[in-house]
Amino acid sequence: MSTTTHAIAAPGPGAPLERTTIERRDLRPDDVLIDIAYAGICHSDIHQARGEWGEAIFPMVPGHEIAGTVAAVGSAVTKYQVGDRVGVGCMVDSCGECEYCQAGTEQFCVKGNVQTYNGVGFDGEPTYGGYSQQVVVKDAFVCRIPDGIGLDVAAPLLCAGITTYSPLRQWGAGPGKKVAIVGLGGLGHMAVKLAAAMGAEVTVLSQSLKKQEDGKRLGATEYYATADESTFEVLRGKFDLILNTVSAQIPVDAYLGLLRTGGAMVNVGAPGEPLSYNAFSLIAGNKALAGSMIGGIPETQEMLDFCAEHGIGAEIETISADDVNTAYERVSASDVRYRFVIDTATINS
């Protein structure tokens, strides 16, 4: 028997989000029922709810930054029990059989991972996300949230946290490394915290200096305005790694000029238009231009444990269900420091 739960949904592309109810499937043997406490608002939620990323499934319940507690478990679940603090990120299933799933990188599943919302499960049913009071998820896609992190500040870690943690780890951010973070938003502020905790020397590259105080409080040692053309001369050849978190057009060649020989620039932001660069910007310095997409479930758990160990959570503004549409407008205007989190207890009030 399915479970009815309160939710916030976009009825159509670009339409205001509204309260509704949805059905969650009955527990399968390997399922976990989660009482959601908090759900983060990611910019990708807005793109998809507005139909800006191609075909979409409506009504849509967004949300892939989910934190809550276990309410019930299926008969075959041994990893979790009622009351455990848990989180769910961008994926809720994958084939489990391909080389990438076997390696713990389910985000690259050959058959395609099942997205937490605006996706279709292997049972043919659409998925609904975390802007709701309960969710049913396969146990293999549930992560444990350590006691050292509040559920509210943990929710954004399930997307913004792992999206930045994974490339920082892969490209060797750590002691003796100079790392630049492009943009200080929902992704960028987490990147600064994580890179600093890994022991890297962190510089923020932002359009202006208006968030400079925040950047240094979060762990950056330097902060530069990219609107000042002299920045690209002063910092030329300085960085081992540049993590680009902005979803906007940037002069790629100018940023590649900031890398040391053998350095890498990694994109996690996804602008709507293609980025262009001159091949010699890479060839002349043996440099790399790369991308990174979230992380697998094992790495997501590693990230949560790392955050608990270092006392890291997202910088949040907690809102009620009544404020979600306003929050969407504010995120679009870059008017949030640095992540909105919905208190899901307000959805049915």
Side-chain angles (χ1 to χ4, degrees), residues 123-213:
D123 58 3
E125 295 297 318
T127 57
Y128 298 114
Y131 295 11
S132 56
Q133 294 190 311
Q134 289 186 313
V135 66
V136 175
V137 182
K138 189 176 182 179
D139 62 345
F141 287 81
V142 177
C143 291
R144 188 178 302 278
I145 297 177
D147 290 337
I149 316 173
L151 291 178
D152 52 353
V153 299
L157 300 181
L158 276 302
C159 175
I162 186 58
T163 296
T164 50
Y165 179 90
S166 184
L168 288 170
R169 273 290 190 234
Q170 179 181 348
W171 293 92
K177 298 292 186 179
K178 292 180 170 61
V179 176
I181 308 300
V182 182
L184 192 67
L187 292 176
H189 93 282
M190 286 305 312
V192 171
K193 285 190 171 191
L194 290 166
M198 291 174 184
E201 180 184 313
V202 183
T203 297
V204 174
L205 303 176
S206 186
Q207 284 187 307
S208 71
L209 299 178
K210 66 180 182 180
K211 298 179 183 177
Q212 181 174 15
E213 184 176 337

Side-chain angles (χ1 to χ4, degrees), residues 9 16 62 85 105-106 158 176 195 223 229 236 293 297 318 337:
R85 307 166 80 248
T105 54
E106 301 90 346
L158 276 302
Y223 198 109
E229 292 183 4
R236 188 168 187 81
M293 184 176 73
I297 299 302
T318 305
R337 296 192 180 181

Side-chain angles (χ1 to χ4, degrees), residues 32 34 66-70 73 77-89 138-151 154-155 157-158 297-308:
V32 176
I34 300 169
I66 300 168
T69 55
V70 175
V73 298
V77 175
T78 58
K79 186 177 179 181
Y80 299 105
Q81 59 186 6
V82 173
D84 284 350
R85 307 166 80 248
V86 294
V88 178
K138 189 176 182 179
D139 62 345
F141 287 81
V142 177
C143 291
R144 188 178 302 278
I145 297 177
D147 290 337
I149 316 173
L151 291 178
L157 300 181
L158 276 302
I297 299 302
E299 191 173 41
T300 302
Q301 186 62 62
E302 177 187 307
M303 176 273 304
L304 289 168
D305 294 340
F306 179 89
C307 287

Side-chain angles (χ1 to χ4, degrees), residues 202-242:
V202 183
T203 297
V204 174
L205 303 176
S206 186
Q207 284 187 307
S208 71
L209 299 178
K210 66 180 182 180
K211 298 179 183 177
Q212 181 174 15
E213 184 176 337
D214 279 0
K216 293 191 172 182
R217 174 177 60 82
L218 296 172
T221 56
E222 300 288 344
Y223 198 109
Y224 287 85
T226 55
D228 183 347
E229 292 183 4
S230 67
T231 290
F232 291 93
E233 292 301 322
V234 171
L235 299 179
R236 188 168 187 81
K238 177 176 180 177
F239 301 109
D240 300 287
L241 173 64
I242 298 174

